[in-house]
Amino acid sequence: MRAWIALLTRELRLALRHPADTLAAVLFFVLVAALFPFGIGPAPETLARIAPGALLAAALLAALLPLDRLFGADAEDGTLDQLLLSGLGSGAVAAAKALAHWLTTGLPLLVATPVAAAMLNLPMGAWPAAMAALGLAAGFLSLLGTAGAALTLGARRGGVLLPLLVLPLAIPAVIFGAAAIEAAAAGLSPRPYLLLLGALVAAALPLAPLAAGAALRVE
Amino acid sequence: MLEARGLACLRGERVIFAEVSFRLGAGGALLLVGANGAGKSSLLRLLAGLLPSAAGALLWDGADALADRAAHAARLRYLSHQDALKPALTARENLRFFARLWGGEVEAALAALDLAPLAELPARVLSAGQKRRLALARLALGAAPLWLLDEPTVGLDAAAVARLGTLLAQHRATGGMVLAATHLPLPLPGAEELRL
């Protein structure tokens, strides 16, 4: 456990030394959300109607950005070999990477959600649900993405392959996340949808690091 | 005691090496020599458990060494071509991370390779030789009986090679084993040679 925490702290410290990566994902998210009013027109009702789906899609695309470097940097400089020999187990390494990805990408996206939500004219009452849905959906993507990043590690054009592999699997998170935000915007309880999102995360929590770990070992 | 019996390595359809056998006892040292592409690095990765062996067996004290990968990883230190350093972290932070994984004294390891004056510098400003020394300082952390070294002296100056020699001698004096792939002369007196 001590070694696992050491790995997680190192990942976070590296993210702090390279804040541009996190900033790029957040700005990408806000910019994609800002494109919708330009494309669809500024009619408030139309914007509010597409806001839930647009928020989810923009957040998942933004969270994909740093994924291809998740293991790539460590593989190139030899750190990955050392991590695989650290006695941590490749599944534990993958779990630390997934959590670090969520903390450095998912969490900042969650914080930026109100900005994007305001641009899309989402009713303020639905903001908390939007933040919860985005946080959970980003967590799901962190887990799936870690498995995808491990699988595409070393593949030529892995950066292109990764979204093709991960995004189709993230569709359930978009459906339940958008449904939660829509429910909250209509004044209903977003709880059932958020619970379903939570169930997705709970299912991916043990499976994705195991898959990623297996992929890392055979690489 | 590390014993290899008929190890073989395949890359795709190509046989890199086959029928590699050796024995290495406590305090022993084995130099891997051979032309570029002979499979020295592949053999070291295979011994570390990072590459699967296509044939043969690797035994530690008579039992299958790779049956319990975590136990095998815990008894070895692997130094690859790459230094496994993060440019954004200082020399001390880079080493401290590995000390948290394996245990060991960061300051003593820094001193062992004369890195104390560089400890506060980020690894990205270090020269190639200084980075290599920092990678070698990992060997001075915690005790692991088996050292697998891939071209350990590349980029090192004479003083650093001498410090590595001291480290290797101490390691072997306490019963440690060294396997090194190299094209350069290494301070390993009495080492056997394995030609690939």
Side-chain angles (χ1 to χ4, degrees):
Chain A
M1 197 64 198
R2 228 179 115 239
W4 193 80
I5 289 169
L7 175 57
L8 185 66
T9 346
R10 191 197 68 141
E11 293 293 321
L12 297 180
R13 176 169 293 146
L14 283 171
L16 279 179
R17 301 271 162 95
H18 298 288
D21 294 357
T22 295
L23 206 63
V26 171
L27 285 179
F28 182 85
F29 168 60
V30 172
L31 281 176
V32 171
L35 284 182
F36 282 92
F38 289 111
I40 293 166
E45 322 72 57
T46 329
L47 275 180
R49 250 199 68 63
I50 60 139
L55 276 177
L56 257 296
L60 291 190
L61 290 178
L64 273 176
L65 281 183
L67 270 181
D68 70 320
R69 298 303 293 159
L70 194 65
F71 293 108
D74 281 351
E76 275 163 26
D77 67 17
T79 306
L80 190 61
D81 288 339
Q82 301 298 337
L83 291 180
L84 292 179
L85 292 174
S86 64
L88 266 177
S90 51
V93 171
K97 287 279 186 182
L99 181 55
H101 176 265
W102 187 78
L103 288 173
T104 58
T105 312
L107 204 57
L109 287 179
L110 187 156
V111 173
T113 300
V115 181
M119 287 193 293
L120 290 167
N121 192 34
L122 189 72
M124 213 179 270
W127 288 10
M131 290 172 78
L134 242 72
L136 285 168
F140 186 57
L141 191 89
S142 293
L143 288 162
L144 285 181
T146 303
L151 275 171
T152 54
L153 184 65
R156 220 171 53 86
R157 314 279 298 149
V160 182
L161 202 56
L162 180 62
L164 298 182
L165 202 68
V166 171
L167 280 179
L169 296 171
I171 290 173
V174 177
I175 295 174
F176 294 131
I181 305 175
E182 241 164 68
L188 303 169
S189 165
R191 205 175 122 85
Y193 302 106
L194 291 178
L195 286 177
L196 279 167
L197 257 183
L200 283 179
V201 176
L205 205 54
L207 293 178
L210 276 181
L216 285 179
R217 267 198 307 276
V218 298
E219 194 265 325
Chain B
M1 162 102 104
L2 182 74
E3 185 180 355
R5 285 188 193 156
L7 294 179
C9 176
L10 291 177
R11 273 293 166 99
E13 298 283 292
R14 205 161 63 91
V15 180
I16 307 276
F17 56 76
E19 290 301 317
V20 169
S21 303
F22 62 83
R23 275 163 180 261
L24 192 61
L30 189 66
L31 279 178
L32 306 178
V33 291
N36 296 130
K40 300 186 294 294
S41 299
S42 299
L43 178 57
L44 286 176
R45 291 184 68 80
L46 196 154
L47 295 175
L50 291 168
L51 262 186
S53 174
L58 184 67
L59 306 176
W60 181 267
D61 291 337
D64 185 1
L66 297 173
D68 183 352
R69 276 170 192 276
H72 187 57
R75 60 182 164 241
L76 67 87
R77 291 279 179 277
Y78 170 60
L79 179 83
S80 67
H81 278 289
Q82 297 129 322
D83 295 323
L85 302 173
K86 289 294 167 195
L89 300 182
T90 67
R92 181 178 280 119
E93 285 169 338
N94 266 300
L95 207 53
R96 193 185 292 140
F97 169 63
F98 289 101
R100 284 197 185 131
L101 291 184
W102 299 328
E105 279 294 320
V106 175
E107 298 310 316
L110 283 169
L113 281 140
D114 194 22
L115 286 161
L118 308 172
E120 293 306 323
L121 292 178
R124 68 168 175 276
V125 305
L126 298 182
S127 76
Q130 288 168 336
K131 282 182 190 157
R132 199 62 180 158
R133 263 157 61 196
L134 187 51
L136 284 168
R138 279 204 296 274
L139 296 174
L141 282 177
L146 177 62
W147 287 5
L148 306 171
L149 312 177
D150 202 344
E151 303 279 4
T153 54
V154 164
L156 292 189
D157 58 23
V161 172
R163 284 180 180 274
L164 174 63
T166 317
L167 217 56
L168 289 169
Q170 280 170 0
H171 177 61
R172 292 173 69 192
T174 52
M177 303 166 211
V178 180
L179 261 123
T182 186
H183 293 290
L184 301 166
L186 274 188
L188 276 174
E192 293 173 50
E193 268 195 14
L194 179 70
R195 187 160 287 278
L196 285 176

